[in-house]
Amino acid sequence: MVKRGIQDFIVVWFFLFSVNPSFGCTEAGRTEGQQQVSFRFLDFACASLPGLPSSGLPILMGSLLMLLLLLLLPPPVQPQYEDACRWQVALNKYETLGMGGEKFFLQQPVSIIDKFFRKLVDSPIDHKENYVGFPYYMKINFTCPGETPEAFVRGGFLKGMIPRVRVTFYPPVNFRRWRTERLQIQMEGAPFQIRAQCGPYTICNVNWYTPMPMKNGSVMMEVEIISNNQGEIISNGKFMININGFLKKEKDKLSFSLGEEVSSIMHRHFLKAPSRPMWATMDQAPVLILGGIPNEKMVLISDSSFKDFSLVELNIDSCWLGTLQCPQEEFTASIFDAIATESVLFIRQNQLVYYFTGNYSHLPGKATDSWVRVLNKRCIKKLCPVELHSNGSEYIVAVAGGNEEGFFHFGTITDATVTFKQFPVSSSICDIFKAPVCRIHWVTYNTEEHKFLLLMEMGQSNQATFKIFEYIVLPKGSNIDAINLLFTIPRYIPASINKDFVMLLAMEKYTAYPLVPKGLFYNPFSHMLFIWGNAILQSFDNIDFIYLSKFPKESTVKYTTSSYHGEMIFVTENEEIWLVFEKSFEIRRLYPSSGWQIVFSLSKMRGLNWYTDNETSVSVFFDSMGLQQLVYQINKKGEGKLKKRRVPVEEIMMYRVLSKTATEVSEQSPTINFLTNCPYQRLKLYKLPNLQQMTRLERYHAKAPHVSSELAFHNKISLAIYQGLVYHLLWLHSKYNKPYADPVHDPTWRWWKDKKQHKGNRQIPTFIGCPPGKRLAFDITLTLRHNKKTNKRYFDCVHPDPEMPCFLFSDPFHPFFLIQDMVTGESGSFNGSYVLKVIGGGTSLDNIVDYSEEDIIRYNSPNDTSESLIWIVRDKRKQSQTFRILNYNSPGIEWLCLPNSPCHDIIPTSIYSPEFYFKIMVSNRGVDTSTYCDYQVTFLLHIHGLPLSRRRALFFVWISLCVCLGVVFLYLLSFFLWPHLKNGWMKLKAKFTDLITTESFYTYTSASTLPSRISSKISTSEKTSAKKKVKKTT
């Protein structure tokens, strides 16, 4: 590595000398007493040699540098493998272990491994459990350049290399449905090879395998491969492995559900085409989408942050050519705007907007089979992204045009459900201001303050100006929302001579060059607002702006991208890449620049193919690995290839600064001296605390099962056991990691009750701020104990659930909470202030719904006058806050369920009283001064014994009374009439019997002769006697 660094330094200096022969040999600029930095191997380079003029020194120096370069550089056939080897990751199913790679499509656990656990008779496992596993394994290896790359992998295995795999689960958007947590699992790779592909005594096709874990609600996983420093030296590798919900299985083959995959990429798709932005919800979109392919309804789609990708032709109709109300200059099949969210993809084609919902197991029944057209009969000219999620939802903005100019549509995506709302509701902004020229160019949504920032052009036809408006949506009941003018953008670019920035105070001088803004960008973390176009303006309060004068007015920004950590990238129409650090007036051009050229030259000299002479930029974007660029490259054979590469910002900036560093040659000593101690503007040193061996992440460690083979190779059975153990570990985590905290609901309680008796509880100092890893939990044990003591009773549900105890509606409810440190295991009561809100509910666990923001205010605010309150504090004091602030000593709450609340008048489904499940969110944010931490917990509360409404109760009483009276009436009726009914029945029966007997007699006599007459006499006498018997019985 040191050798490589020396090579890079010499190459950089040689490149600088080739560009500027006088670099490093200057006579001006040094003052006495200035510190010197020397390089002894260049001492003789700029000295005056006998018989050689000073003008020839640079040539001699360049020759000597070239000689050193040739001596230090290795031959081309012996590259530096320690830098060139890279980790590779692919997915395999159990049936395809050792073969190719799979797409992350399956999301349900597999049960094929349970039969292997049944055979582990003597192992410490629960044989009553039904063990299942994740559907995929991670296949891990590495590649090195050379003729036999497999030899390096085999050598690494024989030297004891065991890769460690660390998987980080990205939390889902909807924190109300899925708990937000910082969770990692670290596993060790298990070596495996397919014996059938190798000889009996050979080692080949070596790969390491670990389970590919999943977590409920999480669709994005960051995988980091770490070496154990045995074998080849390989730096850590990071990969994004995401669930792709836009695939379907047809005839045992995976295909895209949103269109047809194009088999090959042509030059016309990307060559010399303008780059386009990559828009997605930051760190939440598992599948990225990129449009802008000329004259084709195609998009690039990737589930690995464009490590690999597919070109898909979408199955959408292109039938709207434009109307008088929605004029269109040019019809094209291209997909202009493409935005990816957690589970939904949005596109715009001409004036039409579509969305497609992916198939994800945690959102059952939400997937779509085709593209859904939304905002029908609306003229949409632009989609504006909202890259940050908020309040458990994602957002998107559609700007209207044509006759609908002055309107915009705000889309909300919650659990894959898409809804749009028009703003303003009735009259457009243009109608409100009555401006002859009125256009909305950009809308950005402030997720922190829940307001919109609008870039508008309005005024007279020849004197229209651009303005920034603030649009605030007021609560229900208001006739119109609030629209405030924040800033009027100057019509011309400010004049700046030798200045880095200009404060816009309406007193500065301006050029004759028009200032034409194109869009806005707002960072809610730094509160910085940028206006970009053919100039860049920035503000920290949305009112006072500065103009960054180093950006040339001849260039025009066409899109931006941000890391949301301080770095901003601006891409211009001519594909320049500019870097801006927020809260700074410095702006630097990354491409084209001298630093970029040095990186390009070094890459070519090393024989790497990251940069080529013929390439087209497709997109520039940030992901979890930093600034990335997607480029289309054409090699010397004329073959095109789409490639993602990291933009080396640090190297470009370093080489740029180094090329502008002033130096001089001392006459007294043969050395090259730098005129500044450090090539950077400012150097700050901080004394940081010592590094701690602890992290504020919940991290599980899972080792592969021990095998007894000679070379420690695993087989399919041991890998299946590995899969089942990791699945069971995370299943236990999800089962017990609940908002209820007590010995029943959390198996780690034994760590908290006596922390001195267990490993990993060493106390560490806490500095200013809130340490991650602490959580707020519902203390169900103390709550039950306190309610029993206060109410002198406790009535559980008819069918008790130990996981979720019931509380009676008529009893006052007093909740208690715990603060748990998931790192140190410490736990204690929460004694601060908090706000309690009912944010959802339902009559059963299957039909719980989340309430809207307006409904949450109506159901929980003591100031509500709409008869919608669900609960109220027992002290009955009048409150001026929107929500009542509670604390440890609060007297508790009473359940109300007023007529307009969702828990009012619940119809019972059995003979027992109605019951209801409340979804409760507790937070101390903004109301608690006892801690630096913002805590929040969401849990379900089961309430039974809900009363009926008066009307329904009277109805049930009336029905019950009618039934009772009916039963009494029937009883009395039967008591008095029964003897008469019985006598009548007997008479009727006797007459019926007599009738049958008579008919039988006459039938018999008509068919007989003399014996019949004799029998007739006998029958007559018998008949008379029978009649007498009947009379006696009656």
Side-chain angles (χ1 to χ4, degrees), residues 47 77 93 164 208 251 340 343 354 422 443-444 506 523 633 794 896 997:
V77 296
K93 294 187 292 188
R164 292 173 293 176
W208 290 269
K251 298 180 181 180
S343 55
Y354 302 84
Q422 176 182 288
V443 178
T444 184
N523 187 348
Q633 298 179 341
Y794 172 68
L896 297 179
T997 305

XYZ file of all heavy atoms in Angstrom, residues 47 77 93 164 208 251 340 343 354 422 443-444 506 523 633 794 896 997:
150
model
N 18.290 22.476 -8.692
C 19.564 23.150 -8.420
C 20.257 23.494 -9.736
O 20.024 22.871 -10.762
C 20.455 22.255 -7.560
N 2.088 -7.266 -16.239
C 1.562 -8.603 -15.982
C 1.537 -8.927 -14.506
O 1.080 -9.992 -14.115
C 2.428 -9.656 -16.714
C 2.324 -9.456 -18.209
C 3.898 -9.577 -16.257
N -30.813 -20.135 -3.895
C -31.796 -20.896 -3.153
C -31.168 -22.216 -2.700
O -30.093 -22.593 -3.155
C -33.036 -21.145 -4.009
C -33.809 -19.881 -4.347
C -35.115 -20.192 -5.047
C -34.886 -20.749 -6.422
N -36.150 -20.879 -7.189
N -16.514 -12.444 7.156
C -17.593 -12.127 8.079
C -18.591 -11.227 7.363
O -18.209 -10.273 6.695
C -17.059 -11.445 9.335
C -16.208 -12.356 10.217
C -15.574 -11.588 11.356
N -14.591 -10.630 10.855
C -13.939 -9.759 11.630
N -14.193 -9.718 12.926
N -13.061 -8.934 11.099
N -18.205 -19.183 0.021
C -18.648 -19.138 1.410
C -20.139 -18.781 1.413
O -20.584 -17.935 0.634
C -17.860 -18.112 2.199
C -16.440 -18.500 2.433
C -15.926 -19.190 3.478
C -15.315 -18.187 1.587
N -14.570 -19.347 3.358
C -14.162 -18.732 2.202
C -15.179 -17.522 0.377
C -12.901 -18.621 1.648
C -13.927 -17.407 -0.181
C -12.796 -17.953 0.449
N -44.155 -19.826 -15.647
C -43.552 -21.039 -16.203
C -42.144 -21.256 -15.661
O -41.183 -21.439 -16.416
C -43.533 -20.969 -17.729
C -44.919 -20.884 -18.357
C -44.826 -20.819 -19.878
C -46.219 -20.721 -20.490
N -46.172 -20.653 -21.978
N -39.112 6.638 -7.330
C -39.258 5.369 -6.627
C -39.497 5.620 -5.151
O -38.823 6.453 -4.531
C -38.011 4.500 -6.814
N -42.576 1.119 -1.912
C -43.321 0.024 -2.537
C -44.029 0.438 -3.820
O -44.655 -0.409 -4.455
C -44.369 -0.523 -1.552
O -45.222 0.509 -1.093
N -48.647 7.766 -13.993
C -48.965 6.387 -13.651
C -48.211 5.998 -12.379
O -47.176 6.581 -12.042
C -48.549 5.422 -14.775
C -49.168 5.673 -16.128
C -48.618 6.606 -17.011
C -50.290 4.967 -16.552
C -49.160 6.826 -18.258
C -50.842 5.179 -17.801
C -50.274 6.110 -18.646
O -50.816 6.319 -19.890
N -55.704 18.057 -4.182
C -55.398 19.263 -4.946
C -55.273 20.466 -4.027
O -56.043 20.643 -3.092
C -56.492 19.506 -5.979
C -56.318 20.798 -6.767
C -57.444 21.029 -7.746
O -57.545 20.357 -8.764
N -58.317 21.984 -7.421
N -42.199 22.871 -6.882
C -42.803 22.786 -5.558
C -41.980 21.811 -4.734
O -41.723 20.685 -5.168
C -44.273 22.323 -5.617
C -44.850 22.214 -4.200
C -45.106 23.273 -6.460
N -41.542 22.245 -3.566
C -40.853 21.362 -2.631
C -41.608 21.339 -1.318
O -42.210 22.341 -0.915
C -39.398 21.818 -2.409
O -38.723 20.879 -1.569
C -39.346 23.190 -1.764
N -30.671 44.149 -2.052
C -31.314 45.142 -2.927
C -30.484 46.408 -3.072
O -30.983 47.428 -3.552
C -32.710 45.491 -2.432
N -33.279 21.379 2.525
C -32.794 20.355 3.448
C -33.346 20.653 4.835
O -32.930 21.606 5.485
C -31.271 20.333 3.475
C -30.713 19.176 4.279
O -31.441 18.498 5.019
N -29.415 18.921 4.142
N -20.296 3.534 -21.428
C -18.948 3.541 -21.983
C -18.884 2.705 -23.256
O -19.578 1.690 -23.380
C -17.945 2.993 -20.965
C -17.849 3.810 -19.698
C -16.862 3.216 -18.709
O -16.505 2.043 -18.789
N -16.419 4.030 -17.761
N -59.924 -6.043 39.409
C -59.378 -6.155 38.062
C -60.169 -7.224 37.328
O -60.244 -8.378 37.759
C -57.897 -6.525 38.073
C -57.370 -6.826 36.693
C -57.259 -5.820 35.739
C -57.016 -8.124 36.319
C -56.807 -6.086 34.465
C -56.558 -8.404 35.044
C -56.455 -7.383 34.120
O -56.008 -7.648 32.851
N -63.957 7.841 27.288
C -65.219 8.509 26.986
C -65.948 7.879 25.808
O -67.113 7.530 25.910
C -64.968 9.993 26.694
C -64.405 10.832 27.839
C -64.197 12.261 27.362
C -65.325 10.804 29.045
N -112.577 -47.127 10.088
C -113.133 -48.470 10.342
C -114.347 -48.729 9.472
O -114.539 -49.818 8.904
C -113.509 -48.589 11.834
O -112.366 -48.287 12.626
C -114.008 -49.977 12.156
